[in-house]
Amino acid sequence: MPDDDDKPKRTRSWREIDKMRDKSGSSRRSDRESDRFQSSTKYTQYKTNLDRLFSQGVASSALPDHLREKLGTPDEGAQEEERKKLYAIEDPKAFYAAATGYLKSHELPGDPRLLDRLLGHPDDDVIERALTRLEEMHKAGTLKVPPSLSQRLASVEIESGLPAIRRRAADLRKAIR
C-alpha cells in the first residue's frame, strides 16, 4: 500500500487563495457596516419619515409642495393646527367667536372635547350640529366621553330654548352613563 507521503500534494493557486480571502473577511466587515448604518439616527429618521409618508393617516404636510399641488390633497396638518389653536382658547367669548369662524370653513371635528365645548355656544344651530356629531360618534362606538360631557349636556337640557335639543341632550346624557 502506498504511503500518503508518496502522493503529490495539491497546492492552491494564487487565484484560489485570493478568493478565500475575499469570502472570509469582507462579508463580516460589510455586515458590521450595514448594522452600524441601520442603527444610526439618520437612518432611523429616514425610516420613520418613510413610514409616516406611506401610512394610512399620512398628513399631506409631509409631502413636498410640488407633490401636494399635483395630488390636490387638502392640507390636513394646517387644519389640525387650527383645531388645536381653537381648543387652546380659554376665554369663552373668544372661543365662541373663533369657533364660528372655524366652522364656516371646516367640518365639525371628531374631537369629543371640542364638541363638548361647542355645546355651550350661544347659537342653537352650532349646539345642534355638535349634538348630532356626538350622537353619531356614540352610535358608531367611537365616542370617548370627556369628564365634563354629562354636566354640559345637563346644562343644555336646562338652558336650551328648543325642546328638541333639550330632549336629544337628555337622551344622549342617559346613553353615555
Side-chain angles (χ1 to χ4, degrees), residues 156-175:
V156 169
E157 286 179 60
I158 296 169
E159 296 172 1
S160 179
L162 300 175
I165 292 178
R166 286 182 183 170
R167 188 172 47 260
R168 289 175 56 200
D171 292 342
L172 183 59
R173 187 168 62 89
K174 289 174 186 171

Side-chain angles (χ1 to χ4, degrees), residues 75-141:
D75 195 2
E76 296 165 0
Q79 184 175 353
E80 182 69 18
E81 286 297 317
E82 287 181 44
R83 187 192 60 76
K84 286 180 181 177
K85 287 179 185 176
L86 178 65
Y87 186 76
I89 299 173
E90 292 182 17
D91 180 42
K93 289 183 182 181
F95 173 75
Y96 298 142
T100 304
Y102 177 84
L103 293 175
K104 287 180 182 177
S105 60
H106 302 293
E107 293 286 321
L108 270 175
D111 184 2
R113 298 173 306 151
L114 191 59
L115 293 170
D116 175 32
R117 288 187 68 189
L118 287 174
L119 289 175
H121 199 282
D123 186 8
D124 285 335
D125 183 47
V126 173
I127 294 172
E128 187 173 8
R129 288 174 55 194
L131 196 55
T132 303
R133 183 75 170 120
L134 284 167
E135 289 169 340
E136 290 171 356
M137 291 172 66
H138 179 66
K139 286 178 185 174

Side-chain angles (χ1 to χ4, degrees), residues 10-21:
R10 182 175 185 284
T11 57
R12 293 185 180 149
S13 68
W14 284 110
R15 179 181 290 166
E16 291 172 333
I17 294 171
D18 285 342
K19 283 183 182 179
M20 293 299 289
R21 285 183 187 157

